[in-house]
Amino acid sequence: MRILVIGSGAREHALLYAMSKDPQATDLHVAPGNAGMSEIATMHPLVVDDPAGAVALAKEIGADLVVIGPEVPLVAGVADALRDAGFAVFGPNADAARIEGSKAFAKDVMKAAGVKTASAEAIQPEASDEDIEAAIDRFGPNWVVKDDGLAAGKGVVVTKDRAEALEHAKAVLAAGNPVLLESFLDGPEVSLFCLVDGETVVPLLPAQDHKRVGNNDEGPNTGGMGAYSPLSWLPEGATERIVTEVCEPVAREMAARGCPFQGLLYAGLAWGEDGPAVIEFNCRFGDPETQAVLALLESPVAQLLNAAATGTLADFGPLSWRDGYALTVVLAAEGYPVSTRTGDVIEGAEPGREADGILHAGTARNAAGELVSAGGRVLNVIGVGDTLEEARDKAYETIKTIKLEGSHYRTDIALPAVEGRISI
């Protein structure tokens, strides 16, 4: 198979590396990619949310399969244009991508499907200050304030400070976007990725993301600072319960609405006393959880994604997994996520280090040909081990060998799980 991956982050690097080990993936391409992918894929320029540009590139390559990584091109209809042009695409059409693109749409789908989630109230941009404050006062003492649109994981504020909740709501509304207020869901968070082909749902391993920039979950939300998989603290049968109570009903409801989902449905959940409740859905592989999950998947990834893209997922058979655990730590640039500095030289992370657990997220070459930072999340380092503690040790041992001035990373990824501090 000749495969085109659209995207430029560590998630796409992980997908490419996983597919490079599939004997049927004979020719890998990525657009636009980053400097770290050059050893395993041919790179092409592309504006990711340009449907016509994506179709032209897929024709030029002669792609047998197109895998769309980020949410922005999916919401923009890139998958629709590619399918209309006759290409097999892993990723939902724009109508189905609303499950992430509009939180209000997702709430409506969950209500119709009988899926447990937080209660919510929408505020429109034209709301008066009095209406905004009244809505804020109907929630709390833990406020969850969301931008009802795409925000790359950074459009939500969870706070016990009413003033902070109000400030975020007004900032989102001032930008012309609706705000969604939600009740707070208690319990540890779980990310479950499911391959979906209409009403066929195939789960991957559950993972847990670490969203806030600092240790002990302090500081602002980011796109994700690390993740690990699987989750030994979940009760037995947890994955099956999420599939049965959440993912399958949502897939059926979307098919019934005439917008069947085809691609990766990501359920972000809180596991409380009564079991799973949905925080949000995403319409694509999560970043950085994908990096940990794919490190454990032994089934041929290119063939698996192609099955979902071509409507044959039900015939693929059971997935095969490596025993043990995987963990990823994000190395971020100075100032991320508030004011990111780029252009600094990176040492110890040249392309071709995938087997050592080094994946690139935001990297480029400068005029002198040096590897430099080109984004907020610069690198991911993955560790795999028979125990979660061993996976942690490997990842942190590797990340200490990388030099990037001003960079930072969390030192407590999965530490609560290792120390037994997570319970249901």
Side-chain angles (χ1 to χ4, degrees):
M1 280 188 289
R2 185 175 290 113
I3 301 171
L4 169 62
V5 174
I6 295 177
S8 61
R11 164 186 49 213
E12 289 75 34
H13 198 168
L15 285 164
L16 286 165
Y17 181 53
M19 288 190 287
S20 73
K21 294 181 280 187
D22 186 330
Q24 287 196 17
T26 53
D27 191 11
L28 295 176
H29 298 256
V30 63
N34 64 49
M37 302 174 182
S38 58
E39 294 293 308
I40 58 174
T42 303
M43 295 167 58
H44 304 266
L46 180 71
V47 177
V48 297
D49 59 352
D50 174 11
V55 170
L57 178 59
K59 288 180 177 178
E60 176 187 330
I61 291 168
D64 300 302
L65 172 66
V66 182
V67 177
I68 302 176
E71 62 275 20
V72 171
L74 293 168
V75 172
V78 171
D80 306 60
L82 286 162
R83 286 196 179 96
D84 289 346
F87 293 99
V89 183
F90 183 83
N93 62 24
D95 203 15
R98 288 183 295 159
I99 199 74
E100 177 171 2
S102 169
K103 294 173 179 63
F105 172 78
K107 289 289 185 185
D108 189 58
V109 168
M110 284 186 277
K111 182 179 180 180
V115 171
K116 185 179 177 183
T117 185
S119 59
E121 179 178 340
I123 308 175
Q124 299 304 318
E126 60 270 18
S128 68
D129 287 350
E130 292 78 11
D131 289 340
I132 297 168
E133 295 213 25
I136 288 286
D137 288 338
R138 288 191 285 272
F139 288 80
N142 288 317
W143 282 271
V144 181
V145 186
K146 294 183 175 181
D147 183 336
D148 185 26
L150 299 181
K154 293 173 279 189
V156 59
V157 163
V158 181
T159 180
K160 294 183 178 181
D161 185 335
R162 180 185 181 279
E164 184 183 4
L166 183 61
E167 180 184 8
H168 184 63
K170 288 185 174 180
V172 172
L173 294 167
N177 297 327
V179 162
L180 203 67
L181 301 178
E182 289 188 351
S183 59
F184 179 74
L185 293 174
D186 201 9
E189 292 191 13
V190 179
S191 299
L192 184 67
F193 301 160
C194 289
L195 298 160
V196 179
D197 165 18
E199 296 188 24
T200 301
V201 177
V202 177
L204 304 184
L205 292 178
Q208 187 178 64
D209 184 16
H210 294 63
K211 279 289 186 192
R212 293 190 181 269
V213 71
N215 285 353
N216 303 312
D217 292 326
E218 295 178 353
N221 270 344
T222 71
M225 293 298 291
Y228 65 98
S229 180
L231 310 180
S232 58
W233 44 266
L234 276 177
E236 186 176 351
T239 297
E240 292 76 10
R241 185 174 172 186
I242 295 169
V243 170
T244 301
E245 296 182 11
V246 175
C247 300
E248 287 180 340
V250 165
R252 286 194 298 269
E253 174 62 21
M254 294 187 73
R257 291 178 178 223
C259 54
F261 195 95
Q262 191 167 31
L264 196 289
L265 182 65
Y266 166 163
L269 313 112
W271 196 288
E273 290 183 4
D274 298 325
V278 176
I279 299 170
E280 65 178 357
F281 280 108
N282 291 330
C283 63
R284 39 70 191 182
F285 277 105
D287 186 346
E289 300 101 315
T290 297
Q291 291 83 294
V293 171
L294 290 185
L296 298 172
L297 182 58
E298 294 184 334
S299 297
V301 174
Q303 295 172 56
L304 177 60
L305 301 189
N306 189 60
T310 56
T312 59
L313 186 59
D315 303 323
F316 188 83
L319 302 186
S320 177
W321 296 94
R322 179 203 188 281
D323 290 335
Y325 296 81
L327 176 142
T328 183
V329 183
V330 172
L331 181 75
E334 181 174 335
Y336 178 79
V338 178
S339 180
T340 300
R341 191 178 82 187
T342 59
D344 291 310
V345 174
I346 304 165
E347 297 179 20
E350 285 297 313
R353 298 283 304 281
E354 292 91 356
D356 298 326
I358 298 176
L359 300 177
H360 289 228
T363 64
R365 296 284 183 186
N366 64 15
E370 298 169 306
L371 186 68
V372 297
S373 59
R377 293 187 295 173
V378 181
L379 298 166
N380 276 213
V381 177
I382 293 91
V384 177
D386 293 332
T387 66
L388 184 55
E389 187 171 15
E390 183 182 332
R392 258 181 58 84
D393 290 345
K394 286 185 177 179
Y396 282 112
E397 181 180 316
T398 301
I399 205 168
K400 289 175 183 176
T401 67
I402 300 169
K403 295 180 181 179
L404 172 61
E405 185 180 348
S407 63
H408 59 97
Y409 57 89
R410 284 183 59 160
T411 60
D412 65 344
I413 302 301
L415 189 59
V418 169
E419 295 179 345
R421 292 189 277 118
I422 300 181
S423 59
I424 302 298

